[in-house]
Structures are given as structure tokens and as C-alpha cells.
Amino acid sequence: AQSVTQLGSHVSVSEGALVLLRCNYSSSVPPYLFWYVQYPNQGLQLLLKYTTGATLVKGINGFEAEFKKSETSFHLTKPSAHMSDAAEYFCAVSDDGTASKLTFGTGTRLQVTL
Amino acid sequence: ETGVTQTPRHLVMGMTNKKSLKCEQHLGHNAMYWYKQSAKKPLELMFVYNFKEQTENNSVPSRFSPECPNSSHLFLHLHTLQPEDSALYLCASSSLDRGNNSPLHFGNGTRLTVT
């Protein structure tokens, strides 16, 4: 069975500060890992994904995430937060890369302050 | 424009009403999904259709009835709902091809309130 834990349901950062959103997973096989973002009144949008290969994955809007097998983590980072980054972020894991087998975390709401 | 369009955006219905949610995808995908998003809970996968055939039904109550007439359209028929069914219902699509599975593309959702 696979699962996802997102530490911190709410994270607040100042504009220009580092963004770090945490995600830990459990999976019985090498995982496929995803980060999605949800802006208010919208559906989820793919930020980035890890399947195989390079463990540092770059996504849209300056975000990146690093797959660390030894820590079973896939934390999302951005060097400098922007007001437009305020949204809810979801980490997800899949055993086989198939969308129908995705397990989502409960989400982290990012607040960006001036 | 997300490529996946859901209507209506908002729906308020009584427990005795019958209504339908509609989803249309313009991405050429062959799989479509219904998800339920409730506050403080992970996204719940409800149904999956692959090439119009239902392949997943995650123990969803029968008051939710999906319909997939073709690979581009997906409906969720609702009847005799309960207040706890109030949530954001998200439609998504993807390509499920051997060795090349695309990520999910979501619509903007229908915010359902059951009174």
C-alpha cells in the first residue's frame, strides 16, 4: 500500500523567502511522485513529476523537488516566494505511474505575506 | 483554458433533487476520472473510465451514477444526496497508453452544496 504525508497543513512565508513544503511517502515499489498546485476556485495543475532518472526535478513557476530514497521524501522548494504562489499544494504518489493509482496527500496551504 | 471543462461551476440542490454534473475534455485523452475533494481530506478517487469502460469504482454510494458516452465526455448523475456529499467534484483526464501514461489534467470543478 502507498501513502503520502504532508507535514504542515498551513505554511506562511514572506515574499522573497525560501519556500519549503514537505512530503514523505511510503511505497512498496520505486515510486512515481508528483506535486500539484490548486489556486482558488480552480482544479489541480501539475507542477512537476519524478518518474526515473535525475532525482532533482524542475517544474513550472520556479519550483523544484528532490527525490531522496533514503529519506522517502519528495520536498518541494522555491528559492524566492512570490505573492502569486499563494495556493494549496498537493503531493501524490503512484506505484506504477498510472493516474488511477495516485494517492494524494491532504495538501499544504501556502500563504505569502509582504 | 484547462482543456477539461466542467459545468456547472456551482450547484445547490436539495436532498430529493436529481441533477447531473458534466465534464468535457479536449485533450485527446482516453481516460477520465471523477474525484471528490472535501475540506481537510485527501482527494478521493470515485470513478475511472478507460476507453469508455468503467475500470474503477471506489465503493461509491449508488446515489452517484457515472456515465461515459465517449472518451471526451463524462457525467455524474446525482440523486437523493446527503448533506455530507457537499464538496468540490473534480473531473480529470489522462492518456493511458502502454509505457506512456500522462499525468492527470483537471477541470476547475463543480462546487456542490446539498441542503
Side-chain angles (χ1 to χ4, degrees):
Chain A
Q2 57 193 21
S3 66
V4 175
T5 302
Q6 291 185 241
L7 287 176
S9 58
H10 287 84
V11 170
S12 182
V13 300
S14 301
E15 191 173 34
L18 171 72
V19 175
L20 171 60
L21 304 182
R22 298 179 186 276
C23 173
N24 288 88
Y25 70 90
S26 69
S27 176
S28 56
V29 298
Y32 294 76
L33 295 159
F34 305 80
W35 275 100
Y36 282 85
V37 60
Q38 186 177 30
Y39 298 103
N41 301 315
Q42 294 187 26
L44 279 69
Q45 178 184 358
L46 182 68
L47 264 183
L48 50 81
K49 63 177 180 178
Y50 169 79
T51 53
T52 59
T55 56
L56 182 63
V57 180
K58 295 187 184 301
I60 61 172
N61 302 337
F63 284 93
E64 61 183 35
E66 186 170 11
F67 169 57
K68 292 187 176 180
K69 183 178 177 181
S70 61
E71 299 177 8
T72 61
S73 69
F74 191 56
H75 301 330
L76 182 70
T77 61
K78 181 174 180 177
S80 176
H82 192 273
M83 296 296 288
S84 61
D85 294 327
E88 188 145 22
Y89 292 80
F90 295 89
C91 183
V93 63
S94 171
D95 279 350
D96 62 0
T98 305
S100 62
K101 299 288 187 341
L102 272 179
T103 298
F104 284 88
T106 51
T108 297
R109 184 165 297 279
L110 176 66
Q111 181 182 16
V112 182
T113 60
L114 288 172
Chain B
E1 176 59 51
T2 65
V4 179
T5 304
Q6 289 187 246
T7 54
R9 290 298 308 275
H10 301 272
L11 178 61
V12 179
M13 59 186 288
M15 290 189 284
T16 59
N17 290 159
K18 289 184 181 181
K19 297 286 184 183
S20 296
L21 310 185
K22 180 182 176 181
C23 177
E24 183 174 359
Q25 60 97 1
H26 312 276
L27 301 169
H29 291 160
N30 55 19
M32 297 187 76
Y33 310 75
W34 280 117
Y35 281 87
K36 178 183 180 182
Q37 186 177 28
S38 304
K40 302 190 189 311
K41 294 174 69 174
L43 253 67
E44 300 173 52
L45 178 63
M46 300 174 72
F47 302 103
V48 181
Y49 277 83
N50 187 359
F51 286 106
K52 302 187 300 178
E53 300 295 324
Q54 187 179 124
T55 57
E56 298 268 347
N57 176 342
N58 283 352
S59 303
V60 180
S62 60
R63 58 185 184 269
F64 294 92
S65 174
E67 178 189 0
C68 188
N70 54 60
S71 295
S72 299
H73 293 86
L74 184 65
F75 297 89
L76 188 62
H77 304 299
L78 316 170
H79 65 96
T80 59
L81 294 191
Q82 304 298 311
E84 59 265 29
D85 296 323
S86 299
L88 182 68
Y89 288 84
L90 291 165
C91 174
S93 68
S94 74
S95 284
L96 287 179
D97 295 317
R98 201 169 178 165
N100 183 24
N101 298 321
S102 75
L104 294 171
H105 291 256
F106 285 87
N108 286 333
T110 294
R111 173 70 61 188
L112 174 66
T113 304
V114 181
T115 61

